[in-house]
Amino acid sequence: MSGPGPILEARGVRKSFGPVEVLHGADFTLTPGRVHALVGENGAGKSTLMKCLAGYQPVSGGEIRFFGEPVHFADSEAAESAGIVLIHQEFNLAEQLSAEANIFLGREMRRGFFLDRKAMRERARNLLEELATPIDTRLEVSRLSVSQKQMVEIAKALARNARVLIMDEPTAVLTGREAEVLFAQIERLKAAGVAILYTSHKLDEIARVADEVTVLRDGSLVAHAGVDEMSPDRMAELMVGRELSDLFPAKAGETAADVVLSVEDFEVPGHVESASFKLRRGEILGFAGLVGAGRTELMEGIMGLRSARGTIRRSGKVVRIASPKEAVRHGLAYLTEDRKGRGLLLKYGLRENLTLLGLDRFSGIFVDEKAEEAALDAAIRRFDIRAASKTMPVGNLSGGNQQKLLLAKTMLVEPEIVILDEPTRGIDIGTKQQIYAFVHQLAREGQAVIVISSEMSEVIGLCHRVIVMRSGRIAGEVSGEAVTEEAIVRRAMGLDGEAREAAHGS
Amino acid sequence: MAVEAREQPARRRLRVDFHVLGPLVALVALVILGMSLNDQFLSAGNVTNVLARSAFIGIIAVGATFVITIGGLDLSVGSMSAFLAGVTIIILNALIPQLGGGWATILVGMLACLAMGLGAGFLNGILITKGRIEAFIVTLGTLGIFRSLVVWLANGGTLSLDFNLREVYRPVYYGGVAGIAWPIVVFALVAVAGEIVMRKTAYGRHCAAIGSNEQVARYSAIHVDRVRLATYMLQGMLVGVATIMYVPRLGSASSTTGLLWELEAIAAVIIGGTVLKGGFGRVWGTVVGVVILSLIDNILNLTDLVSPYLNGAIQGVIIILAVVLQRGRKGA
């Protein structure tokens, strides 16, 4: 049956959330034995398109065709039974169950009334061996490495006879060597006639793995071509759709000389070793590195959110920060990368969220709700937060407005040092620009800002100086004119002479 | 667009109203039902009886509202109350030779009862926060411990308050001010204070934040463990308050004192609209919940419509209904 024709197609697919349309009629075709890459910036609509294809979300317009016939998958389960499997970036595995139990979860093999453990173990072992992952299938998933977990996910998909595999940034959490294993498996899956949708922010990777590429920008399809016809540079241009200089305000000049924060020999057990750096007044300091390099952990250690050792000096004076409260007292504030899990109370309204961090500013014996309302009105104006109502649950705000609210919450304690962790993750380009402008304004007014970002363009466009971390250590620093993508990547990957050490896996 | 805009707020208001007023509607319905079945229902005597009997559970349930709002649970409150009652009686009896059989003794006993309540709450709280043991497990354990201790102290029988002291202490339950029984007055004060603390203070806001998402609370510079510990201590202290009101009622403590109070308290909290998983609590709802449970019992006793033996079944139905209504809101 599976000839050369397409197996799964999106035709003019539109998707709206409430009044906001995030996907404006996208076409996308998956063919057996081919890898079709989907690229675009965060918020371009990639996830939405993937979710529509995999039955996680119904489309608002257009249609999904499976073997040429229009289909409506009731849910992801229905799509899975048809052989369409989405592998999430954060895995969907039951951590406490064994690898084999996970592979057959919900589709257990039985012998009469009982589970046929032997057959399942046999099959699981075969599947994982084919994937070059010879692990003991009885191991709890929580004890596997990230790449092994990913292989278990793929084995799970194969056990369901997947014909279409949708992979959401599969290499984001992998080391270079682990990624190589994955690429080899993708080749094998192709040969076996599986159709693969592949997304990644690493464009050189796309050039290697994919057969064809589709570029999305702001919810619209801007290009589709064979991978030979489109260089990674061209992809980047199409993704962004304008000169990067438009996006970032001109960098402010010299930063002041006085060091407001100095961190020496800082250690966060299991994540960061002997990190030292200085931050000056009026400076925007970037932290670059691969996911898992320990950037977030370092900042959380400094903020008293994780147990850590080391010396922190605030304007020269040694301070001890054992809790976030003390960090705030010393003029530090941290904006988490995990907006929904750690940043906002999704079921509560804007006011409660805005003032949660700085609540003691609004309360004597009682909380002064009038003052809170006034602060909210001011924040809405200052940060251009757009909400249908001030009492709506913030979980219903768009990602960009959530982020602006979170920023407002963080700034409400009037910090002198602001640590922004992935400040523009998953938000649209317009809001990004506003946030960049705001960061610049902060620096101009004399605050010091640390920006952790995995988006290279952001680090380069925004920061005066960039510290690169790798495997829990500071691997190098670049500043001024030397802040280039190549310089950062070389340090992040450990290609630089001084930073070349035995990579210790964790 | 215009039509849509007009429709939406109307729909929303309807839903919220129903959820907010649900417990009140049930309460009013029960009162009307009671009135139509028995003309003595609204007599001062009966109303006092209903409210005074709900006071113990009510005072404890106000504490339970906070515990559940932070996403916790305290199963030990009934046993704790029995234990506190037992030890308080022992202390009172032992103090008579030194302080005499008057109010001095009783005041010291009351303070001891409060202090022990705080201590018991501290024990629960410290095991949950510093010991990192689940609240369910900890309080299931202390439930057994307190219950067994009171049985042991009473040697399997009953601990009785000295007869003369009982006469002095008696008005604390049976007396009152301006015609309102003391337990009702204390219950009302605790409830009003609880409502204000929950709604108007930073502590109340922090409780809701922790129950809603502990990580968000932590990242918002809230001392999560401290707030939790304080909440279990508040619960312990309120158990102490309830016990102070309870001791003069019978003047004794035994293995059956406070039996299943924890479940009644939790039921009242849930009927009142507090979310069992935490993150949202309202004290006034709990008060309504307590009164609803008490009224059902009362109506069944006053009328022969349904056997009073079915009281538990009817309360059970109400609890389940309350939760179904809660879920209805979440799906909306």
Side-chain angles (χ1 to χ4, degrees):
Chain A
M1 281 292 284
S2 58
I7 177 165
L8 186 66
E9 287 170 275
R11 288 220 185 150
V13 164
R14 294 173 174 278
K15 178 70 192 173
S16 307
F17 294 102
V20 186
E21 191 173 84
V22 295
L23 207 54
H24 320 293
D27 295 316
F28 197 88
T29 306
L30 284 163
T31 317
R34 284 174 73 82
V35 177
H36 191 161
L38 180 60
V39 299
E41 289 202 303
N42 291 335
K46 285 178 301 181
S47 309
T48 308
L49 179 56
M50 283 189 280
K51 285 178 181 161
C52 288
L53 282 167
Y56 281 75
Q57 285 167 357
V59 300
S60 313
E63 58 182 20
I64 305 286
R65 287 171 168 251
F66 189 51
F67 285 115
E69 298 293 321
V71 283
H72 288 283
F73 295 117
D75 49 27
S76 61
E77 217 167 302
E80 254 189 53
S81 336
I84 302 165
V85 180
L86 172 65
I87 298 182
H88 296 265
Q89 199 179 343
E90 54 279 343
F91 306 124
N92 241 339
L93 296 171
E95 295 270 330
Q96 311 302 328
L97 293 183
S98 68
E100 59 193 40
N102 264 291
I103 288 172
F104 291 99
L105 198 62
R107 284 180 173 66
E108 288 81 0
M109 296 164 114
R110 281 164 220 267
R111 197 172 49 198
F113 188 69
F114 299 102
L115 291 177
D116 191 348
R117 283 170 175 269
K118 220 168 122 194
M120 284 195 284
R121 180 161 307 157
E122 191 65 31
R123 178 104 171 89
R125 193 172 298 155
N126 287 341
L127 282 168
L128 284 168
E129 254 163 36
E130 282 174 36
L131 292 170
T133 313
I135 52 168
D136 185 345
T137 58
R138 287 166 300 185
L139 275 182
E140 249 181 46
V141 162
S142 61
R143 297 175 55 187
L144 301 178
S145 76
V146 175
S147 68
Q148 286 171 335
K149 283 183 194 174
Q150 191 166 45
M151 288 307 165
V152 171
E153 276 272 21
I154 295 175
K156 185 176 162 188
L158 294 180
R160 284 151 166 69
N161 295 320
R163 288 179 288 191
V164 177
L165 213 50
I166 299 174
M167 305 173 98
D168 187 3
E169 296 202 39
T171 56
V173 288
L174 299 185
T175 64
R177 261 212 11 252
E178 291 168 339
E180 287 302 324
V181 177
L182 178 69
F183 298 153
Q185 293 322 310
I186 287 176
E187 284 305 317
R188 261 187 25 77
L189 294 170
K190 271 171 68 175
V194 177
I196 296 173
L197 187 164
Y198 189 94
T199 65
S200 176
H201 283 299
K202 302 170 186 166
L203 298 179
D204 45 345
E205 195 176 290
I206 302 274
R208 235 189 96 178
V209 175
D211 298 300
E212 51 191 318
V213 185
T214 291
V215 183
L216 280 183
R217 181 172 72 227
D218 297 336
S220 300
L221 193 154
V222 290
H224 170 233
V227 78
D228 312 327
E229 302 154 39
M230 205 190 284
S231 69
D233 282 339
R234 179 79 188 123
M235 286 181 218
E237 269 176 47
L238 287 167
M239 273 165 59
V240 178
R242 52 173 138 172
E243 293 286 313
L244 281 179
S245 55
D246 287 344
L247 196 53
F248 299 97
K251 284 190 191 181
E254 294 291 295
T255 56
D258 34 345
V259 173
V260 287
L261 180 74
S262 139
V263 174
E264 290 153 34
D265 230 355
F266 206 77
E267 184 183 343
V268 180
H271 297 283
V272 179
E273 283 173 62
S274 62
S276 303
F277 69 91
K278 286 182 169 47
L279 178 67
R280 295 185 176 77
R281 208 158 62 80
E283 183 177 38
I284 304 173
L285 173 62
F287 268 78
L290 300 178
V291 169
R295 297 168 296 167
T296 294
E297 289 79 3
L298 170 60
M299 296 310 157
E300 291 187 348
I302 292 170
M303 289 297 293
L305 283 159
R306 288 174 184 268
S307 56
R309 282 190 293 274
T311 312
I312 300 172
R313 283 174 209 273
R314 191 60 187 83
S315 300
K317 250 174 51 193
V318 174
V319 292
R320 240 190 99 258
I321 297 176
S323 70
K325 192 117 214 157
E326 286 175 26
V328 169
R329 207 172 297 142
H330 288 299
L332 277 80
Y334 170 70
L335 179 133
T336 171
E337 60 174 336
D338 186 357
R339 184 164 65 228
K340 292 186 173 174
R342 295 178 172 165
L344 297 172
L345 296 173
L346 300 179
K347 285 189 202 150
Y348 276 86
L350 276 67
R351 178 169 55 86
E352 291 88 342
N353 272 290
L354 176 71
T355 58
L356 195 59
L357 178 62
L359 196 57
D360 39 7
R361 287 160 185 266
F362 297 91
S363 51
I365 297 174
F366 299 123
V367 176
D368 183 349
E369 293 192 6
K370 273 202 191 112
E372 282 189 289
E373 280 296 339
L376 178 57
D377 288 336
I380 286 175
R381 276 196 306 276
R382 181 176 177 198
F383 292 92
D384 185 31
I385 299 167
R386 290 169 205 172
S389 107
K390 287 189 268 186
T391 53
M392 71 190 276
V394 301
N396 295 348
L397 289 175
S398 76
N401 282 308
Q402 285 179 357
Q403 190 69 8
K404 288 193 265 187
L405 178 64
L406 186 55
L407 194 58
K409 167 184 168 179
T410 311
M411 297 311 300
L412 201 62
V413 295
E414 299 173 78
E416 284 170 51
I417 297 167
V418 192
I419 304 173
L420 304 174
D421 196 348
E422 303 285 359
T424 64
R425 176 178 283 175
I427 63 179
D428 61 279
I429 203 141
T431 308
K432 270 186 191 181
Q433 207 158 15
Q434 289 177 318
I435 288 178
Y436 296 148
F438 178 75
V439 169
H440 264 272
Q441 192 198 333
L442 279 183
R444 264 201 312 280
E445 288 167 2
Q447 269 114 320
V449 187
I450 291 177
V451 176
I452 300 181
S453 176
S454 298
E455 272 185 67
M456 203 60 85
S457 60
E458 192 167 290
V459 175
I460 295 168
L462 202 57
C463 302
H464 297 109
R465 189 159 61 97
V466 178
I467 288 176
V468 184
M469 286 189 73
R470 185 172 62 85
S471 306
R473 288 169 177 275
I474 289 183
E477 182 185 317
V478 286
S479 60
E481 295 296 305
V483 180
T484 63
E485 176 151 3
E486 202 204 334
I488 293 170
V489 169
R490 287 183 71 85
R491 286 170 176 78
M493 307 293 280
L495 298 175
D496 242 35
E498 54 165 294
R500 186 173 302 163
E501 306 160 37
H504 47 104
S506 49
Chain B
M1 279 302 274
V3 177
E4 215 178 65
R6 206 175 306 144
E7 250 176 26
Q8 260 178 344
R11 218 187 305 149
R12 200 180 301 144
R13 197 180 313 134
L14 207 74
R15 231 173 236 152
V16 169
D17 272 359
F18 179 68
H19 179 71
V20 169
L21 298 178
L24 273 181
V25 170
L27 181 63
V28 170
L30 276 175
V31 169
I32 292 170
L33 180 71
M35 275 161 51
S36 65
L37 289 174
N38 189 316
D39 48 4
Q40 286 302 299
F41 181 73
L42 278 186
S43 67
N46 191 49
V47 171
T48 299
N49 179 31
V50 167
L51 291 178
R53 282 163 57 108
S54 31
F56 311 125
I57 301 284
I59 292 167
I60 292 172
V62 170
T65 310
F66 284 89
V67 171
I68 291 175
T69 300
I70 60 162
L73 197 64
D74 192 344
L75 295 173
S76 72
V77 291
S79 304
M80 193 193 288
S81 179
F83 173 70
L84 293 183
V87 178
T88 304
I89 287 171
I90 291 174
I91 290 173
L92 285 171
N93 288 342
L95 281 176
I96 295 174
Q98 282 94 27
L99 295 174
W103 277 105
T105 302
I106 289 171
L107 276 178
V108 173
M110 284 177 168
L111 284 178
C113 186
L114 278 183
M116 288 187 296
L118 275 173
F122 179 81
L123 176 70
N124 278 335
I126 208 78
L127 285 169
I128 290 163
T129 54
K130 288 282 171 280
R132 306 250 155 251
I133 311 170
E134 283 199 52
F136 185 95
I137 309 287
V138 168
T139 58
L140 189 61
T142 50
L143 176 152
I145 293 168
F146 291 139
R147 178 66 60 196
S148 151
L149 282 178
V150 75
V151 175
W152 176 66
L153 287 174
N155 221 345
T158 303
L159 287 161
S160 296
L161 187 60
D162 176 84
F163 192 75
N164 293 320
L165 207 53
R166 206 182 286 191
E167 282 306 310
V168 183
Y169 201 166
R170 212 182 123 81
V172 170
Y173 181 77
Y174 292 97
V177 59
I180 305 169
W182 278 117
I184 301 175
V185 172
V186 173
F187 179 25
L189 287 177
V190 166
V192 169
E195 176 72 17
I196 290 172
V197 168
M198 180 71 90
R199 208 161 284 282
K200 295 283 178 196
T201 67
Y203 167 74
R205 192 74 70 76
H206 288 170
C207 285
I210 291 170
S212 188
N213 186 332
E214 191 186 325
Q215 287 296 340
V216 172
R218 218 164 68 82
Y219 278 72
S220 301
I222 294 170
H223 290 294
V224 172
D225 280 355
R226 241 183 259 175
V227 173
R228 274 216 182 114
L229 181 60
T231 304
Y232 284 97
M233 288 175 73
L234 172 70
Q235 171 77 87
M237 191 191 74
L238 288 175
V239 172
V241 172
T243 308
I244 288 172
M245 310 308 299
Y246 178 79
V247 169
R249 185 175 171 219
L250 298 176
S252 66
S254 71
S255 60
T256 56
T257 302
L259 207 58
L260 297 181
W261 280 9
E262 62 279 351
L263 295 188
E264 278 197 54
I266 293 169
V269 172
I270 298 311
I271 291 171
T274 295
V275 178
L276 183 58
K277 273 189 282 181
F280 176 79
R282 54 182 188 206
V283 173
W284 71 261
T286 298
V287 173
V288 172
V290 169
V291 176
I292 284 177
L293 288 180
S294 203
L295 274 184
I296 293 170
D297 188 40
N298 183 248
I299 289 171
L300 293 185
N301 277 318
L302 283 181
T303 64
D304 45 9
L305 199 63
V306 187
S307 162
Y309 296 136
L310 283 174
N311 182 7
I314 294 174
Q315 291 186 348
V317 168
I318 300 240
I319 293 163
I320 293 169
L321 264 181
V323 174
V324 169
L325 287 178
Q326 264 188 29
R327 191 173 47 200
R329 179 182 71 142
K330 214 187 281 169

